[in-house]
PDB file of all heavy atoms in Angstrom:
ATOM      1  N   VAL S   1       0.852  -1.191   0.028  1.00 86.00           N
ATOM      2  CA  VAL S   1       0.001   0.026  -0.014  1.00 86.00           C
ATOM      3  C   VAL S   1       0.898   1.227   0.022  1.00 86.00           C
ATOM      4  O   VAL S   1       1.827   1.361   0.851  1.00 86.00           O
ATOM      5  CB  VAL S   1      -0.950   0.032   1.230  1.00 86.00           C
ATOM      6  CG1 VAL S   1      -1.710   1.309   1.304  1.00 86.00           C
ATOM      7  CG2 VAL S   1      -1.835  -1.214   1.228  1.00 86.00           C
ATOM      8  N   LEU S   2       0.674   2.177  -0.940  1.00 88.00           N
ATOM      9  CA  LEU S   2       1.554   3.313  -0.997  1.00 88.00           C
ATOM     10  C   LEU S   2       1.426   4.228   0.272  1.00 88.00           C
ATOM     11  O   LEU S   2       2.452   4.734   0.715  1.00 88.00           O
ATOM     12  CB  LEU S   2       1.186   4.155  -2.223  1.00 88.00           C
ATOM     13  CG  LEU S   2       1.621   3.532  -3.520  1.00 88.00           C
ATOM     14  CD1 LEU S   2       1.184   4.409  -4.741  1.00 88.00           C
ATOM     15  CD2 LEU S   2       3.128   3.342  -3.629  1.00 88.00           C
ATOM     16  N   GLY S   3       0.280   4.326   0.845  1.00 89.00           N
ATOM     17  CA  GLY S   3       0.141   5.068   2.100  1.00 89.00           C
ATOM     18  C   GLY S   3       0.209   6.593   1.917  1.00 89.00           C
ATOM     19  O   GLY S   3      -0.411   7.149   1.037  1.00 89.00           O
ATOM     20  N   THR S   4       0.954   7.265   2.786  1.00 92.00           N
ATOM     21  CA  THR S   4       1.018   8.723   2.877  1.00 92.00           C
ATOM     22  C   THR S   4       2.168   9.244   1.993  1.00 92.00           C
ATOM     23  O   THR S   4       3.270   8.744   2.007  1.00 92.00           O
ATOM     24  CB  THR S   4       1.301   9.145   4.354  1.00 92.00           C
ATOM     25  OG1 THR S   4       0.271   8.578   5.136  1.00 92.00           O
ATOM     26  CG2 THR S   4       1.256  10.626   4.450  1.00 92.00           C
ATOM     27  N   ALA S   5       1.829  10.306   1.231  1.00 93.00           N
ATOM     28  CA  ALA S   5       2.833  10.971   0.406  1.00 93.00           C
ATOM     29  C   ALA S   5       4.018  11.456   1.343  1.00 93.00           C
ATOM     30  O   ALA S   5       3.739  11.985   2.438  1.00 93.00           O
ATOM     31  CB  ALA S   5       2.280  12.120  -0.387  1.00 93.00           C
ATOM     32  N   ASP S   6       5.207  11.248   0.888  1.00 92.00           N
ATOM     33  CA  ASP S   6       6.390  11.660   1.713  1.00 92.00           C
ATOM     34  C   ASP S   6       7.172  12.653   0.818  1.00 92.00           C
ATOM     35  O   ASP S   6       7.946  12.283  -0.060  1.00 92.00           O
ATOM     36  CB  ASP S   6       7.279  10.483   2.028  1.00 92.00           C
ATOM     37  CG  ASP S   6       8.307  10.819   3.063  1.00 92.00           C
ATOM     38  OD1 ASP S   6       9.319  11.483   2.709  1.00 92.00           O
ATOM     39  OD2 ASP S   6       8.170  10.413   4.197  1.00 92.00           O
ATOM     40  N   GLY S   7       6.931  13.940   1.057  1.00 89.00           N
ATOM     41  CA  GLY S   7       7.587  14.962   0.230  1.00 89.00           C
ATOM     42  C   GLY S   7       6.747  15.324  -0.967  1.00 89.00           C
ATOM     43  O   GLY S   7       5.651  14.790  -1.134  1.00 89.00           O
ATOM     44  N   ARG S   8       7.304  16.189  -1.779  1.00 89.00           N
ATOM     45  CA  ARG S   8       6.601  16.680  -2.965  1.00 89.00           C
ATOM     46  C   ARG S   8       6.936  15.820  -4.179  1.00 89.00           C
ATOM     47  O   ARG S   8       8.042  15.282  -4.319  1.00 89.00           O
ATOM     48  CB  ARG S   8       6.911  18.086  -3.243  1.00 89.00           C
ATOM     49  CG  ARG S   8       6.466  19.010  -2.123  1.00 89.00           C
ATOM     50  CD  ARG S   8       6.628  20.429  -2.326  1.00 89.00           C
ATOM     51  NE  ARG S   8       7.650  20.876  -3.248  1.00 89.00           N
ATOM     52  CZ  ARG S   8       7.961  22.091  -3.565  1.00 89.00           C
ATOM     53  NH1 ARG S   8       7.248  23.041  -3.060  1.00 89.00           N
ATOM     54  NH2 ARG S   8       8.911  22.390  -4.378  1.00 89.00           N
ATOM     55  N   ALA S   9       5.975  15.713  -5.100  1.00 92.00           N
ATOM     56  CA  ALA S   9       6.229  15.006  -6.374  1.00 92.00           C
ATOM     57  C   ALA S   9       7.258  15.755  -7.173  1.00 92.00           C
ATOM     58  O   ALA S   9       7.309  17.030  -7.106  1.00 92.00           O
ATOM     59  CB  ALA S   9       4.942  14.848  -7.135  1.00 92.00           C
ATOM     60  N   GLU S  10       7.980  15.044  -7.984  1.00 92.00           N
ATOM     61  CA  GLU S  10       9.005  15.711  -8.896  1.00 92.00           C
ATOM     62  C   GLU S  10       8.617  15.303 -10.283  1.00 92.00           C
ATOM     63  O   GLU S  10       8.409  14.130 -10.602  1.00 92.00           O
ATOM     64  CB  GLU S  10      10.344  15.180  -8.515  1.00 92.00           C
ATOM     65  CG  GLU S  10      11.483  15.645  -9.359  1.00 92.00           C
ATOM     66  CD  GLU S  10      12.795  15.017  -8.989  1.00 92.00           C
ATOM     67  OE1 GLU S  10      12.834  13.987  -8.256  1.00 92.00           O
ATOM     68  OE2 GLU S  10      13.799  15.622  -9.348  1.00 92.00           O
ATOM     69  N   THR S  11       8.625  16.282 -11.197  1.00 93.00           N
ATOM     70  CA  THR S  11       8.356  15.978 -12.572  1.00 93.00           C
ATOM     71  C   THR S  11       9.594  16.212 -13.441  1.00 93.00           C
ATOM     72  O   THR S  11      10.211  17.266 -13.334  1.00 93.00           O
ATOM     73  CB  THR S  11       7.155  16.841 -13.120  1.00 93.00           C
ATOM     74  OG1 THR S  11       5.983  16.565 -12.325  1.00 93.00           O
ATOM     75  CG2 THR S  11       6.854  16.554 -14.577  1.00 93.00           C
ATOM     76  N   LEU S  12       9.951  15.178 -14.217  1.00 88.00           N
ATOM     77  CA  LEU S  12      11.129  15.230 -15.049  1.00 88.00           C
ATOM     78  C   LEU S  12      10.683  15.198 -16.539  1.00 88.00           C
ATOM     79  O   LEU S  12       9.638  14.631 -16.804  1.00 88.00           O
ATOM     80  CB  LEU S  12      12.007  13.996 -14.763  1.00 88.00           C
ATOM     81  CG  LEU S  12      12.346  13.747 -13.286  1.00 88.00           C
ATOM     82  CD1 LEU S  12      12.921  12.324 -13.156  1.00 88.00           C
ATOM     83  CD2 LEU S  12      13.336  14.802 -12.788  1.00 88.00           C
ATOM     84  N   THR S  13      11.463  15.798 -17.436  1.00 89.00           N
ATOM     85  CA  THR S  13      11.135  15.710 -18.847  1.00 89.00           C
ATOM     86  C   THR S  13      12.279  14.979 -19.548  1.00 89.00           C
ATOM     87  O   THR S  13      13.462  15.354 -19.397  1.00 89.00           O
ATOM     88  CB  THR S  13      10.989  17.072 -19.437  1.00 89.00           C
ATOM     89  OG1 THR S  13       9.928  17.751 -18.712  1.00 89.00           O
ATOM     90  CG2 THR S  13      10.629  17.044 -20.881  1.00 89.00           C
ATOM     91  N   TYR S  14      11.949  13.950 -20.351  1.00 84.00           N
ATOM     92  CA  TYR S  14      12.897  13.167 -21.087  1.00 84.00           C
ATOM     93  C   TYR S  14      12.692  13.492 -22.565  1.00 84.00           C
ATOM     94  O   TYR S  14      11.564  13.451 -23.110  1.00 84.00           O
ATOM     95  CB  TYR S  14      12.672  11.679 -20.871  1.00 84.00           C
ATOM     96  CG  TYR S  14      13.104  11.150 -19.578  1.00 84.00           C
ATOM     97  CD1 TYR S  14      12.267  11.234 -18.451  1.00 84.00           C
ATOM     98  CD2 TYR S  14      14.368  10.568 -19.399  1.00 84.00           C
ATOM     99  CE1 TYR S  14      12.692  10.761 -17.246  1.00 84.00           C
ATOM    100  CE2 TYR S  14      14.753  10.069 -18.162  1.00 84.00           C
ATOM    101  CZ  TYR S  14      13.899  10.188 -17.101  1.00 84.00           C
ATOM    102  OH  TYR S  14      14.320   9.707 -15.878  1.00 84.00           O
ATOM    103  N   GLN S  15      13.801  13.749 -23.241  1.00 84.00           N
ATOM    104  CA  GLN S  15      13.750  13.896 -24.708  1.00 84.00           C
ATOM    105  C   GLN S  15      13.906  12.531 -25.361  1.00 84.00           C
ATOM    106  O   GLN S  15      14.501  11.633 -24.764  1.00 84.00           O
ATOM    107  CB  GLN S  15      14.885  14.864 -25.149  1.00 84.00           C
ATOM    108  CG  GLN S  15      14.760  16.238 -24.581  1.00 84.00           C
ATOM    109  CD  GLN S  15      13.450  16.916 -24.968  1.00 84.00           C
ATOM    110  OE1 GLN S  15      12.968  16.788 -26.044  1.00 84.00           O
ATOM    111  NE2 GLN S  15      12.927  17.756 -24.024  1.00 84.00           N
ATOM    112  N   PRO S  16      13.439  12.338 -26.557  1.00 82.00           N
ATOM    113  CA  PRO S  16      13.615  11.068 -27.279  1.00 82.00           C
ATOM    114  C   PRO S  16      15.127  10.732 -27.301  1.00 82.00           C
ATOM    115  O   PRO S  16      15.991  11.588 -27.460  1.00 82.00           O
ATOM    116  CB  PRO S  16      13.123  11.335 -28.689  1.00 82.00           C
ATOM    117  CG  PRO S  16      12.071  12.370 -28.451  1.00 82.00           C
ATOM    118  CD  PRO S  16      12.650  13.311 -27.401  1.00 82.00           C
ATOM    119  N   GLY S  17      15.448   9.446 -27.003  1.00 78.00           N
ATOM    120  CA  GLY S  17      16.811   8.992 -26.974  1.00 78.00           C
ATOM    121  C   GLY S  17      17.462   9.146 -25.593  1.00 78.00           C
ATOM    122  O   GLY S  17      18.638   8.799 -25.408  1.00 78.00           O
ATOM    123  N   SER S  18      16.758   9.651 -24.604  1.00 74.00           N
ATOM    124  CA  SER S  18      17.277   9.822 -23.245  1.00 74.00           C
ATOM    125  C   SER S  18      17.524   8.455 -22.643  1.00 74.00           C
ATOM    126  O   SER S  18      16.850   7.468 -22.950  1.00 74.00           O
ATOM    127  CB  SER S  18      16.314  10.599 -22.379  1.00 74.00           C
ATOM    128  OG  SER S  18      16.156  11.906 -22.808  1.00 74.00           O
ATOM    129  N   GLY S  19      18.435   8.383 -21.678  1.00 70.00           N
ATOM    130  CA  GLY S  19      18.726   7.143 -20.985  1.00 70.00           C
ATOM    131  C   GLY S  19      18.030   7.059 -19.662  1.00 70.00           C
ATOM    132  O   GLY S  19      16.847   7.381 -19.540  1.00 70.00           O
ATOM    133  N   ALA S  20      18.735   6.625 -18.645  1.00 75.00           N
ATOM    134  CA  ALA S  20      18.213   6.435 -17.328  1.00 75.00           C
ATOM    135  C   ALA S  20      18.713   7.494 -16.419  1.00 75.00           C
ATOM    136  O   ALA S  20      19.685   8.154 -16.605  1.00 75.00           O
ATOM    137  CB  ALA S  20      18.615   5.051 -16.801  1.00 75.00           C
ATOM    138  N   VAL S  21      18.027   7.649 -15.269  1.00 79.00           N
ATOM    139  CA  VAL S  21      18.414   8.563 -14.239  1.00 79.00           C
ATOM    140  C   VAL S  21      18.076   7.909 -12.886  1.00 79.00           C
ATOM    141  O   VAL S  21      17.149   7.132 -12.762  1.00 79.00           O
ATOM    142  CB  VAL S  21      17.660   9.937 -14.349  1.00 79.00           C
ATOM    143  CG1 VAL S  21      16.131   9.774 -14.156  1.00 79.00           C
ATOM    144  CG2 VAL S  21      18.172  10.966 -13.446  1.00 79.00           C
ATOM    145  N   VAL S  22      18.930   8.163 -11.894  1.00 81.00           N
ATOM    146  CA  VAL S  22      18.667   7.642 -10.533  1.00 81.00           C
ATOM    147  C   VAL S  22      18.170   8.841  -9.676  1.00 81.00           C
ATOM    148  O   VAL S  22      18.773   9.909  -9.697  1.00 81.00           O
ATOM    149  CB  VAL S  22      19.983   7.043  -9.925  1.00 81.00           C
ATOM    150  CG1 VAL S  22      19.759   6.711  -8.483  1.00 81.00           C
ATOM    151  CG2 VAL S  22      20.391   5.899 -10.767  1.00 81.00           C
ATOM    152  N   ARG S  23      17.074   8.639  -9.003  1.00 85.00           N
ATOM    153  CA  ARG S  23      16.540   9.647  -8.091  1.00 85.00           C
ATOM    154  C   ARG S  23      16.703   9.097  -6.688  1.00 85.00           C
ATOM    155  O   ARG S  23      16.397   7.929  -6.427  1.00 85.00           O
ATOM    156  CB  ARG S  23      15.082   9.884  -8.410  1.00 85.00           C
ATOM    157  CG  ARG S  23      14.718  10.283  -9.813  1.00 85.00           C
ATOM    158  CD  ARG S  23      15.560  11.355 -10.455  1.00 85.00           C
ATOM    159  NE  ARG S  23      15.484  12.622  -9.728  1.00 85.00           N
ATOM    160  CZ  ARG S  23      16.342  13.629  -9.972  1.00 85.00           C
ATOM    161  NH1 ARG S  23      17.256  13.478 -10.853  1.00 85.00           N
ATOM    162  NH2 ARG S  23      16.198  14.771  -9.347  1.00 85.00           N
ATOM    163  N   ARG S  24      17.102   9.979  -5.777  1.00 85.00           N
ATOM    164  CA  ARG S  24      17.226   9.590  -4.356  1.00 85.00           C
ATOM    165  C   ARG S  24      16.271  10.466  -3.573  1.00 85.00           C
ATOM    166  O   ARG S  24      16.056  11.610  -3.874  1.00 85.00           O
ATOM    167  CB  ARG S  24      18.639   9.780  -3.879  1.00 85.00           C
ATOM    168  CG  ARG S  24      19.578   8.767  -4.422  1.00 85.00           C
ATOM    169  CD  ARG S  24      20.995   8.942  -3.859  1.00 85.00           C
ATOM    170  NE  ARG S  24      21.868   7.870  -4.326  1.00 85.00           N
ATOM    171  CZ  ARG S  24      22.533   7.931  -5.488  1.00 85.00           C
ATOM    172  NH1 ARG S  24      22.392   9.008  -6.263  1.00 85.00           N
ATOM    173  NH2 ARG S  24      23.298   6.918  -5.850  1.00 85.00           N
ATOM    174  N   HIS S  25      15.739   9.835  -2.487  1.00 86.00           N
ATOM    175  CA  HIS S  25      14.803  10.575  -1.633  1.00 86.00           C
ATOM    176  C   HIS S  25      15.088  10.240  -0.174  1.00 86.00           C
ATOM    177  O   HIS S  25      15.287   9.073   0.195  1.00 86.00           O
ATOM    178  CB  HIS S  25      13.328  10.131  -1.977  1.00 86.00           C
ATOM    179  CG  HIS S  25      12.349  10.778  -1.094  1.00 86.00           C
ATOM    180  ND1 HIS S  25      11.921  12.042  -1.240  1.00 86.00           N
ATOM    181  CD2 HIS S  25      11.616  10.275  -0.122  1.00 86.00           C
ATOM    182  CE1 HIS S  25      10.993  12.363  -0.351  1.00 86.00           C
ATOM    183  NE2 HIS S  25      10.792  11.283   0.357  1.00 86.00           N
ATOM    184  N   VAL S  26      15.196  11.287   0.626  1.00 85.00           N
ATOM    185  CA  VAL S  26      15.353  11.127   2.073  1.00 85.00           C
ATOM    186  C   VAL S  26      13.966  11.139   2.716  1.00 85.00           C
ATOM    187  O   VAL S  26      13.274  12.173   2.572  1.00 85.00           O
ATOM    188  CB  VAL S  26      16.219  12.197   2.702  1.00 85.00           C
ATOM    189  CG1 VAL S  26      16.281  12.044   4.211  1.00 85.00           C
ATOM    190  CG2 VAL S  26      17.651  12.161   2.101  1.00 85.00           C
ATOM    191  N   PHE S  27      13.550  10.004   3.278  1.00 85.00           N
ATOM    192  CA  PHE S  27      12.179   9.890   3.822  1.00 85.00           C
ATOM    193  C   PHE S  27      12.114  10.566   5.175  1.00 85.00           C
ATOM    194  O   PHE S  27      12.995  10.501   6.004  1.00 85.00           O
ATOM    195  CB  PHE S  27      11.824   8.417   3.970  1.00 85.00           C
ATOM    196  CG  PHE S  27      11.505   7.744   2.705  1.00 85.00           C
ATOM    197  CD1 PHE S  27      12.499   7.205   1.913  1.00 85.00           C
ATOM    198  CD2 PHE S  27      10.205   7.717   2.242  1.00 85.00           C
ATOM    199  CE1 PHE S  27      12.208   6.596   0.710  1.00 85.00           C
ATOM    200  CE2 PHE S  27       9.925   7.086   1.046  1.00 85.00           C
ATOM    201  CZ  PHE S  27      10.875   6.597   0.278  1.00 85.00           C
ATOM    202  N   SER S  28      10.951  11.263   5.366  1.00 85.00           N
ATOM    203  CA  SER S  28      10.700  11.872   6.707  1.00 85.00           C
ATOM    204  C   SER S  28       9.720  11.038   7.505  1.00 85.00           C
ATOM    205  O   SER S  28       9.693  11.174   8.740  1.00 85.00           O
ATOM    206  CB  SER S  28      10.170  13.303   6.503  1.00 85.00           C
ATOM    207  OG  SER S  28       8.973  13.272   5.781  1.00 85.00           O
ATOM    208  N   GLY S  29       8.905  10.199   6.857  1.00 76.00           N
ATOM    209  CA  GLY S  29       7.980   9.335   7.545  1.00 76.00           C
ATOM    210  C   GLY S  29       8.669   8.151   8.194  1.00 76.00           C
ATOM    211  O   GLY S  29       9.732   7.785   7.805  1.00 76.00           O
ATOM    212  N   GLN S  30       8.007   7.543   9.157  1.00 77.00           N
ATOM    213  CA  GLN S  30       8.558   6.422   9.856  1.00 77.00           C
ATOM    214  C   GLN S  30       7.888   5.106   9.535  1.00 77.00           C
ATOM    215  O   GLN S  30       8.038   4.130  10.277  1.00 77.00           O
ATOM    216  CB  GLN S  30       8.395   6.702  11.393  1.00 77.00           C
ATOM    217  CG  GLN S  30       9.195   7.909  11.828  1.00 77.00           C
ATOM    218  CD  GLN S  30      10.667   7.769  11.541  1.00 77.00           C
ATOM    219  OE1 GLN S  30      11.322   6.758  11.835  1.00 77.00           O
ATOM    220  NE2 GLN S  30      11.252   8.779  10.898  1.00 77.00           N
ATOM    221  N   GLY S  31       7.168   5.046   8.422  1.00 83.00           N
ATOM    222  CA  GLY S  31       6.490   3.797   8.055  1.00 83.00           C
ATOM    223  C   GLY S  31       7.448   2.675   7.789  1.00 83.00           C
ATOM    224  O   GLY S  31       8.643   2.856   7.484  1.00 83.00           O
ATOM    225  N   CYS S  32       7.004   1.403   7.961  1.00 86.00           N
ATOM    226  CA  CYS S  32       7.825   0.250   7.753  1.00 86.00           C
ATOM    227  C   CYS S  32       7.976  -0.085   6.245  1.00 86.00           C
ATOM    228  O   CYS S  32       8.822  -0.906   5.874  1.00 86.00           O
ATOM    229  CB  CYS S  32       7.232  -0.967   8.460  1.00 86.00           C
ATOM    230  SG  CYS S  32       7.609  -0.909  10.231  1.00 86.00           S
ATOM    231  N   TYR S  33       7.166   0.484   5.427  1.00 86.00           N
ATOM    232  CA  TYR S  33       7.300   0.283   3.961  1.00 86.00           C
ATOM    233  C   TYR S  33       7.433   1.606   3.267  1.00 86.00           C
ATOM    234  O   TYR S  33       6.680   2.557   3.534  1.00 86.00           O
ATOM    235  CB  TYR S  33       6.032  -0.482   3.423  1.00 86.00           C
ATOM    236  CG  TYR S  33       5.907  -1.807   4.100  1.00 86.00           C
ATOM    237  CD1 TYR S  33       5.138  -1.973   5.188  1.00 86.00           C
ATOM    238  CD2 TYR S  33       6.568  -2.948   3.531  1.00 86.00           C
ATOM    239  CE1 TYR S  33       4.985  -3.229   5.795  1.00 86.00           C
ATOM    240  CE2 TYR S  33       6.464  -4.160   4.124  1.00 86.00           C
ATOM    241  CZ  TYR S  33       5.635  -4.340   5.266  1.00 86.00           C
ATOM    242  OH  TYR S  33       5.528  -5.565   5.850  1.00 86.00           O
ATOM    243  N   TRP S  34       8.315   1.677   2.339  1.00 87.00           N
ATOM    244  CA  TRP S  34       8.461   2.867   1.447  1.00 87.00           C
ATOM    245  C   TRP S  34       8.023   2.476   0.052  1.00 87.00           C
ATOM    246  O   TRP S  34       8.220   1.365  -0.395  1.00 87.00           O
ATOM    247  CB  TRP S  34       9.922   3.309   1.378  1.00 87.00           C
ATOM    248  CG  TRP S  34      10.475   3.846   2.689  1.00 87.00           C
ATOM    249  CD1 TRP S  34       9.781   4.314   3.718  1.00 87.00           C
ATOM    250  CD2 TRP S  34      11.872   3.977   2.995  1.00 87.00           C
ATOM    251  NE1 TRP S  34      10.639   4.723   4.704  1.00 87.00           N
ATOM    252  CE2 TRP S  34      11.891   4.519   4.312  1.00 87.00           C
ATOM    253  CE3 TRP S  34      12.999   3.650   2.334  1.00 87.00           C
ATOM    254  CZ2 TRP S  34      13.106   4.787   4.932  1.00 87.00           C
ATOM    255  CZ3 TRP S  34      14.198   3.950   2.969  1.00 87.00           C
ATOM    256  CH2 TRP S  34      14.259   4.471   4.239  1.00 87.00           C
ATOM    257  N   GLY S  35       7.492   3.436  -0.637  1.00 88.00           N
ATOM    258  CA  GLY S  35       7.079   3.180  -2.016  1.00 88.00           C
ATOM    259  C   GLY S  35       7.441   4.313  -2.931  1.00 88.00           C
ATOM    260  O   GLY S  35       7.590   5.464  -2.428  1.00 88.00           O
ATOM    261  N   VAL S  36       7.619   4.010  -4.151  1.00 90.00           N
ATOM    262  CA  VAL S  36       7.811   5.025  -5.196  1.00 90.00           C
ATOM    263  C   VAL S  36       6.841   4.711  -6.322  1.00 90.00           C
ATOM    264  O   VAL S  36       6.676   3.590  -6.721  1.00 90.00           O
ATOM    265  CB  VAL S  36       9.310   5.116  -5.656  1.00 90.00           C
ATOM    266  CG1 VAL S  36       9.726   3.843  -6.274  1.00 90.00           C
ATOM    267  CG2 VAL S  36       9.473   6.300  -6.640  1.00 90.00           C
ATOM    268  N   ARG S  37       6.206   5.774  -6.829  1.00 90.00           N
ATOM    269  CA  ARG S  37       5.313   5.613  -7.962  1.00 90.00           C
ATOM    270  C   ARG S  37       5.849   6.535  -9.092  1.00 90.00           C
ATOM    271  O   ARG S  37       6.123   7.675  -8.895  1.00 90.00           O
ATOM    272  CB  ARG S  37       3.875   6.018  -7.559  1.00 90.00           C
ATOM    273  CG  ARG S  37       2.903   5.956  -8.791  1.00 90.00           C
ATOM    274  CD  ARG S  37       1.449   6.124  -8.367  1.00 90.00           C
ATOM    275  NE  ARG S  37       1.275   7.382  -7.702  1.00 90.00           N
ATOM    276  CZ  ARG S  37       0.205   7.618  -6.927  1.00 90.00           C
ATOM    277  NH1 ARG S  37      -0.708   6.696  -6.729  1.00 90.00           N
ATOM    278  NH2 ARG S  37       0.070   8.795  -6.328  1.00 90.00           N
ATOM    279  N   VAL S  38       5.972   5.973 -10.269  1.00 89.00           N
ATOM    280  CA  VAL S  38       6.435   6.716 -11.436  1.00 89.00           C
ATOM    281  C   VAL S  38       5.307   6.680 -12.495  1.00 89.00           C
ATOM    282  O   VAL S  38       4.813   5.601 -12.859  1.00 89.00           O
ATOM    283  CB  VAL S  38       7.719   6.078 -11.981  1.00 89.00           C
ATOM    284  CG1 VAL S  38       8.205   6.816 -13.256  1.00 89.00           C
ATOM    285  CG2 VAL S  38       8.837   6.060 -10.939  1.00 89.00           C
ATOM    286  N   THR S  39       4.917   7.863 -12.954  1.00 90.00           N
ATOM    287  CA  THR S  39       3.822   7.982 -13.931  1.00 90.00           C
ATOM    288  C   THR S  39       4.325   8.727 -15.158  1.00 90.00           C
ATOM    289  O   THR S  39       5.024   9.750 -14.983  1.00 90.00           O
ATOM    290  CB  THR S  39       2.666   8.780 -13.307  1.00 90.00           C
ATOM    291  OG1 THR S  39       2.240   8.155 -12.098  1.00 90.00           O
ATOM    292  CG2 THR S  39       1.483   8.852 -14.263  1.00 90.00           C
ATOM    293  N   THR S  40       4.026   8.233 -16.348  1.00 87.00           N
ATOM    294  CA  THR S  40       4.474   8.883 -17.558  1.00 87.00           C
ATOM    295  C   THR S  40       3.299   9.520 -18.329  1.00 87.00           C
ATOM    296  O   THR S  40       2.180   9.011 -18.248  1.00 87.00           O
ATOM    297  CB  THR S  40       5.173   7.881 -18.513  1.00 87.00           C
ATOM    298  OG1 THR S  40       4.224   6.916 -18.906  1.00 87.00           O
ATOM    299  CG2 THR S  40       6.395   7.247 -17.802  1.00 87.00           C
ATOM    300  N   LYS S  41       3.590  10.571 -19.060  1.00 88.00           N
ATOM    301  CA  LYS S  41       2.679  11.174 -19.964  1.00 88.00           C
ATOM    302  C   LYS S  41       3.451  11.527 -21.219  1.00 88.00           C
ATOM    303  O   LYS S  41       4.408  12.247 -21.134  1.00 88.00           O
ATOM    304  CB  LYS S  41       2.040  12.451 -19.398  1.00 88.00           C
ATOM    305  CG  LYS S  41       1.083  12.197 -18.298  1.00 88.00           C
ATOM    306  CD  LYS S  41       0.451  13.434 -17.778  1.00 88.00           C
ATOM    307  CE  LYS S  41      -0.489  13.130 -16.619  1.00 88.00           C
ATOM    308  NZ  LYS S  41      -1.086  14.262 -16.031  1.00 88.00           N
ATOM    309  N   PRO S  42       3.091  10.951 -22.337  1.00 85.00           N
ATOM    310  CA  PRO S  42       1.941  10.006 -22.551  1.00 85.00           C
ATOM    311  C   PRO S  42       2.277   8.633 -21.965  1.00 85.00           C
ATOM    312  O   PRO S  42       3.417   8.376 -21.576  1.00 85.00           O
ATOM    313  CB  PRO S  42       1.854   9.960 -24.059  1.00 85.00           C
ATOM    314  CG  PRO S  42       3.223  10.230 -24.598  1.00 85.00           C
ATOM    315  CD  PRO S  42       3.791  11.195 -23.589  1.00 85.00           C
ATOM    316  N   ALA S  43       1.280   7.777 -21.988  1.00 80.00           N
ATOM    317  CA  ALA S  43       1.431   6.415 -21.476  1.00 80.00           C
ATOM    318  C   ALA S  43       2.379   5.665 -22.308  1.00 80.00           C
ATOM    319  O   ALA S  43       2.646   5.953 -23.453  1.00 80.00           O
ATOM    320  CB  ALA S  43       0.033   5.683 -21.477  1.00 80.00           C
ATOM    321  N   ALA S  44       2.967   4.639 -21.738  1.00 74.00           N
ATOM    322  CA  ALA S  44       3.954   3.748 -22.449  1.00 74.00           C
ATOM    323  C   ALA S  44       3.218   3.039 -23.558  1.00 74.00           C
ATOM    324  O   ALA S  44       1.994   2.865 -23.509  1.00 74.00           O
ATOM    325  CB  ALA S  44       4.529   2.741 -21.466  1.00 74.00           C
ATOM    326  N   GLY S  45       3.966   2.570 -24.560  1.00 74.00           N
ATOM    327  CA  GLY S  45       3.410   1.855 -25.695  1.00 74.00           C
ATOM    328  C   GLY S  45       2.684   0.617 -25.320  1.00 74.00           C
ATOM    329  O   GLY S  45       1.804   0.164 -25.986  1.00 74.00           O
TER     330      GLY S  45
END
């Protein structure tokens, strides 16, 4: 369960041919489970 948002959402823009990127987040919540959700626009093929 994703639970409570921890921090603000970050929006990145990728140009065609872009590779990968690593994002790090310092959590402020004390939950036993952490989650990350990644959403693209437009949707994947």
Side-chain angles (χ1 to χ4, degrees):
V1 175
L2 289 176
T4 304
D6 191 285
R8 297 186 333 179
E10 177 181 21
T11 300
L12 311 166
T13 301
Y14 287 83
Q15 298 299 326
S18 296
V21 65
V22 173
R23 306 310 300 167
R24 288 185 177 85
H25 177 75
V26 176
F27 285 87
S28 59
Q30 298 300 311
C32 281
Y33 298 93
W34 292 341
V36 61
R37 176 171 58 200
V38 178
T39 306
T40 64
K41 289 184 183 177

